[in-house]
Amino acid sequence: MACPSERRLFRTERIEPVADCVLAFLVDCSGSMREHIESVAMLAEVTARALEQAGVTSEILGFSTGAWHGGRARRDWVQAGRPARPGRLAEVAHFVFKDADTPWRRARPALGAMLKPELFKEGIDGEAVDWACGRLRARDERRKLLVVVSDGCPMEGATAQANGDGWLDEHLLEVVARHEQAGQIQVFGLGVGLDLSPWYSRAQAIDLSAGAGQAVFRDLVELLGARRWR
C-alpha cells in the first residue's frame, strides 16, 4: 500500500531488445521468375510488414536487363568489330519497389509494379548484388542483410556468347565473396526450387509450387537465423 508521506521512488529495470538492422530483398526479375513472382511478391511484402512491426528496416529491390539479348550494348559491340572478351553486353535494369525509408503502408501500392510482365527479361546477378550492397552500406544500421531471391544462375545471352558461359557465374562468385570477406553485409541466397549454394555460402531452397505458405516463411526464418554455413 502506498503511503502519502513516503517520498522515495522505486523502479524495476526492464531490458528490451532494440532492432538495429536493415534487410533488403533483391528479387531476380529474369524471364523464368515470372511464373513465381506473385508468391515472391507476397513473401517479400508480408516479411517487410512483419519486420516493420518488429522495428526492422527493409527494402524490396529487383533486377533484370533493359532488353533481350543485349539490345543497344550488343549493337555497339558489333559495330566496333566484335572485340574479344568485351565484358557485359547488356543494359542492366535495377528496380526499387520499396526503399528503406518508406513505411510498408505507403509502399504497398508501389509493390504492384513487381507484377509488370515487361520487367522480366534476363539476369545479371553480380552487378545487382553489388548495387544492393552499396545501398545497404549507405545505411546507419549496425546489422545489414541482403536476401537474393532467384531460381537459377546468372544468364544474359549476348554476354555469355561473347565471354563464355561461365563469365557471369564467376563474376557473381567474386562479388559475393568480396562482400562476405568485408564483413559489413550478410548475403543470403533464397532459391526458388533450386539450391543456390554454388554461389552463396548462406543458402536455402524454397518450394513455391503451393504458394507462399507457412513452410516458406519458416525456411526464410531458418536461413536468417542459421549459425553455420558452408
Side-chain angles (χ1 to χ4, degrees):
M1 180 178 294
C3 176
S5 62
E6 178 60 71
R7 295 181 178 277
R8 291 177 298 171
L9 298 176
F10 299 89
R11 68 180 183 179
T12 300
E13 292 187 355
R14 183 173 63 182
I15 300 176
E16 294 183 347
V18 176
D20 189 11
C21 177
V22 56
L23 183 148
F25 281 101
L26 178 61
V27 179
D28 176 4
C29 295
S30 59
S32 59
M33 281 287 288
R34 184 174 175 179
E35 64 178 295
H36 307 295
I37 195 60
E38 289 189 15
S39 296
V40 170
M42 181 182 297
L43 172 65
E45 180 186 352
V46 172
T47 304
R49 184 180 183 186
L51 290 173
E52 185 173 297
Q53 291 175 346
V56 177
T57 304
S58 67
E59 286 201 320
I60 302 176
L61 312 172
F63 68 96
S64 182
T65 56
W68 287 100
H69 203 63
R72 182 175 57 186
R74 183 181 182 277
R75 291 195 296 271
D76 291 344
W77 172 69
V78 171
Q79 291 176 0
R82 301 175 183 261
R85 304 289 289 181
R88 171 167 57 83
L89 288 178
E91 302 166 50
V92 295
H94 296 158
F95 314 116
V96 179
F97 301 114
K98 176 192 178 301
D99 65 64
D101 294 320
T102 302
W104 168 82
R105 188 175 297 276
R106 284 179 51 201
R108 191 180 185 191
L111 295 178
M114 298 179 70
L115 306 181
K116 288 186 174 181
E118 60 266 28
L119 300 184
F120 298 90
K121 295 183 178 70
E122 300 183 84
I124 300 178
D125 301 46
E127 288 184 69
V129 170
D130 231 359
W131 166 70
C133 285
R135 293 179 61 88
L136 289 175
R137 279 198 308 272
R139 302 289 306 175
D140 294 330
E141 289 84 358
R142 182 182 60 85
R143 189 181 183 198
K144 302 174 174 65
L145 302 91
L146 175 64
V147 179
V148 184
V149 186
S150 177
D151 67 342
C153 64
M155 178 50 64
E156 193 283 307
T159 301
Q161 289 179 10
N163 298 275
D165 290 337
W167 191 85
L168 289 172
D169 292 79
E170 292 171 3
H171 181 243
L172 174 59
L173 286 168
E174 182 273 323
V175 169
V176 173
R178 172 160 41 86
H179 288 291
E180 288 183 340
Q181 291 170 6
Q184 294 178 290
I185 300 167
Q186 291 177 287
V187 183
F188 302 85
L190 193 63
V192 179
L194 179 75
D195 178 16
L196 296 182
S197 59
W199 302 277
Y200 302 92
S201 62
R202 306 172 176 94
Q204 174 72 45
I206 57 174
D207 181 8
L208 292 178
S209 59
Q214 292 185 357
V216 174
F217 289 97
R218 184 171 59 248
D219 289 339
L220 175 58
V221 171
E222 289 179 357
L223 173 64
L224 299 178
R227 296 298 180 185
R228 291 186 178 182
W229 304 281
R230 67 170 175 85

